[in-house]
Amino acid sequence: MTGASTIPPTSRREARRLDRRDAILTVAKAYFLEHGYAGTTMSGIAAALGGSKGTLWNHFPSKEDLFSAVLDRVATAYRAQLSQILDPCGVLEPTLLRACRSLLDKVCSTEAIALHRLIYAESGRFPELSRIFFELAPRHTRALLADYISGAMDRGQLRRDDPADAARVLMALTMAGSHQQLMIGQITEPSSAQMQADVDLAVDLFLRGYAPEPNSANR
C-alpha cells in the first residue's frame, strides 16, 4: 500500500533541544543589545542563562556564530512576512506601499534601532559584524524586493532596468526620513502618520522614476 509521505514528528529530545536553542537566542539578543558585541562574552551569556558554558558551546561554537543566529532568527521572521506581501498578482502601487510600510515598521522598531546602532558603533573593530548583518538582513530584503520588481518590469508595469538597483533605490527612499532621524537621535519615536508619509513619498518617487517608457511603436 502506497501512501503520501509524511514528515516524521519531532522527537521529545529534539523538541527540547530546539526549545533550549530558542531560549539561548532570546537571552543572547538581549545581552548583545545591552552590552554591545565587544562587551558580550559566552561566559556572560551562559551565566544569564543559568547554565554551563559547555551547554552554550554545544549549540554555538563561537560568539560570532551566536550573533549570526540571533540576526538570522529576526531576519527570517521578517522575510516570511515580506514574501506574503509581495504578491505578483497584486496591484503594483498598493503592494509597494504595504511592503515599504512593513520595512519601515521593522527598521524603526526599538530593537532594530538598537541593533543598527550596535553594528555602526562596533563594526570598525569587528568587521564581521557588518558582514553578518548585511548577509542576513539587507541583502535578503533587497533580493526579495528585486525579484518582485523584476516581475513588474516583465509585466510592463515598470521600465526595464537593473532590479537590484531599483530595490536598493526603493529601500533608500523608504529609510531616508523617520529611520534616519531615529538613528541620529533627532526623534525618539516617529508617529504612524509620519512613517506613512515617508512611505507614500518613497513609493511616489520610485514609481515616477521607474515609470514605463511610452510605447514608441505608434510614433
Side-chain angles (χ1 to χ4, degrees), residues 40-149:
T40 295
T41 64
M42 298 293 273
S43 297
I45 292 176
L49 283 164
S52 68
K53 188 176 179 181
T55 300
L56 177 60
W57 279 80
N58 285 337
H59 287 271
F60 303 100
S62 69
K63 183 170 75 170
E64 182 177 329
D65 289 325
L66 180 56
F67 187 74
S68 295
V70 167
L71 278 181
D72 188 53
R73 186 174 69 162
V74 174
T76 298
Y78 176 66
R79 288 198 299 271
Q81 176 189 343
L82 184 60
S83 294
Q84 290 186 335
I85 293 172
L86 295 174
D87 179 5
C89 297
V91 180
L92 178 64
E93 184 172 359
T95 299
L96 290 178
L97 286 169
R98 288 194 298 272
C100 290
R101 181 56 194 257
S102 76
L103 172 63
L104 199 58
D105 284 340
K106 181 65 178 176
V107 299
C108 287
S109 67
T110 301
E111 177 184 285
I113 291 296
L115 184 59
H116 275 84
R117 286 174 175 164
L118 184 158
I119 300 290
Y120 294 159
E122 302 198 50
S123 60
R125 288 182 295 164
F126 304 99
E128 67 271 21
L129 291 187
S130 58
R131 174 185 59 78
I132 293 168
F133 174 71
F134 180 76
E135 288 296 317
L136 293 176
R139 186 176 72 84
H140 283 291
T141 299
R142 186 184 301 176
L144 285 172
L145 284 170
D147 185 62
Y148 175 80
I149 288 170

Side-chain angles (χ1 to χ4, degrees), residues 7 15 86 196 213:
I7 299 174
L86 295 174
Q196 190 58 49
E213 295 178 356

